[in-house]
Amino acid sequence: MTALNGINLEIAQGEIFGIIGHSGAGKSTLIRCINRLEQPTSGSVWIGETDITRLGKRQLQRERRKLGMIFQHFNLLSSATVYENVAFPLKLEGKSRTEINRRVNEMLELVGLTEHASKYPAQLSGGQKQRVGIARALAPNPRVLLCDEATSALDPQTTDSILRLLLDINRKLGLTIVLITHEMHVIQSICDKVAVINGGIIVEQGPVIDVFLKPRETITQEFIKRESEGGEMFEEAIRAVHVPSSRTVKVTFIGELTYQSTLSQTVKETGVDFAILQGTISRIKETPYGQLVVRFEGDAASIDNTLRRLTEQRLEVEELQ
């Protein structure tokens, strides 16, 4: 059975790249190929200028130090303190006690756990355990951080705090992050680009804002619908209600257009009446976007003119009715 087929990804240095798919889609196999815990049957995996699929055992061990990894279930040493867990990979590298102490303290400060250094994993919350996992992964100073469902075992509030921490680490350290998940919220919150994997194949990829707002594939649309189920139900309901001489559309504003009065200025000039049936403003990472469901009322030519002028002003217009 083929787990992955025809995978072709390029992840830029300093990027947060998300890979989303259902259970069994091949996400974890893909991340294990990236650090060569799984050996691909064909193709190559390049980390910078090095093809790690061609390395011998000793060379591979050195190269893996450039790849940190955090896991869904933390994988901490239960009999070791927080300090000892973070120090563990540095001891394996043969670092001196002074180097280990300096680096561990730096990492614990970075993840906000300085006061918990002497505690054991059983004394920590889920979010604190994941912070230990992040500090341990970062201790050897990797170039890439691999995150395999790193927030799946956490509640929503803790998930958001871990995502903010990862974004902060990305900004401070310029670290490349590859993030495996089945939650579109995680992708939307911090990722720059995303690849959608299904049945071992990458079916769609690109900047998150493009994939999120203009999904081409059915599976991508399903992930997005799960994030906005109430909005989908509302759109279905208004499609079933007909108001004479009207058309209902969804208007999407992206970036600086989100906060401009483009809609009100346009309808003043075209002379159509309108009613806002629903509206939301949100963000995809740092980019704001707004979506309005609007019913335009008037003669057909005036409504056509309104929709055309909105499109000319770089708004996305999707007719619902």
Side-chain angles (χ1 to χ4, degrees), residues 70-297:
I70 58 175
F71 307 88
Q72 178 179 356
H73 297 295
F74 320 127
N75 289 12
L76 302 180
L77 302 170
S78 60
S79 60
T81 64
V82 167
Y83 183 100
E84 291 166 341
N85 267 281
V86 179
F88 183 69
L90 300 174
K91 290 180 179 178
L92 292 180
E93 290 185 3
K95 299 294 186 183
S96 69
R97 183 177 297 179
T98 300
E99 287 179 293
I100 290 173
N101 188 60
R102 178 186 60 79
R103 186 62 177 168
V104 171
N105 287 330
E106 283 180 359
M107 293 301 97
L108 291 180
E109 182 177 0
L110 180 66
V111 301
L113 290 179
T114 300
E115 297 178 358
H116 300 276
S118 61
K119 290 184 178 179
Y120 289 88
Q123 298 173 286
L124 303 176
S125 67
Q128 289 170 332
K129 289 177 184 177
Q130 194 56 283
R131 286 172 182 265
V132 177
I134 293 170
R136 180 184 59 186
L138 296 180
N141 197 28
R143 295 172 59 185
V144 179
L145 180 63
L146 305 175
C147 307
D148 190 4
E149 297 280 9
T151 60
S152 295
L154 306 175
D155 62 75
Q157 185 174 358
T158 306
T159 291
D160 288 342
S161 72
I162 293 298
L163 294 177
R164 287 194 297 271
L165 174 61
L166 290 174
L167 185 57
D168 186 52
I169 288 168
N170 168 259
R171 289 169 173 165
K172 286 180 177 177
L173 305 181
L175 187 69
T176 304
I177 298 177
V178 182
L179 198 153
I180 298 287
T181 185
H182 63 274
E183 300 173 292
M184 198 67 194
H185 163 70
V186 171
I187 300 293
Q188 182 182 355
S189 296
I190 67 168
C191 292
D192 301 297
K193 293 182 182 176
V194 61
V196 183
I197 187 169
N198 188 39
I201 299 170
I202 299 294
V203 296
E204 187 166 4
Q205 64 175 303
V208 174
I209 196 159
D210 292 343
V211 174
F212 188 86
L213 295 179
K214 304 174 189 175
R216 300 190 312 271
E217 301 296 324
T218 301
I219 186 164
T220 313
Q221 294 165 4
E222 289 174 358
F223 278 118
I224 294 168
K225 283 180 182 179
R226 194 185 306 170
E227 290 298 316
S228 57
E229 188 172 340
E232 290 296 321
M233 292 173 63
F234 179 79
E235 287 181 20
E236 289 298 323
I238 63 172
R239 282 188 178 100
V241 177
H242 176 67
V243 176
S245 301
S246 74
R247 285 154 71 182
T248 302
V249 302
K250 179 163 67 176
V251 183
T252 301
F253 308 75
I254 301 174
E256 73 279 0
L257 295 173
T258 304
Y259 304 108
Q260 294 179 4
S261 56
T262 308
L263 176 62
S264 61
Q265 290 177 353
T266 300
V267 295
K268 282 181 183 177
E269 295 168 4
T270 59
V272 301
D273 292 327
F274 75 102
I276 295 176
L277 307 181
Q278 186 187 54
T280 60
I281 292 179
S282 189
R283 284 182 175 269
I284 294 177
K285 197 175 181 181
E286 296 166 334
T287 302
Y289 73 95
Q291 291 187 315
L292 296 178
V293 177
V294 184
R295 185 174 65 229
F296 293 106
E297 301 176 13

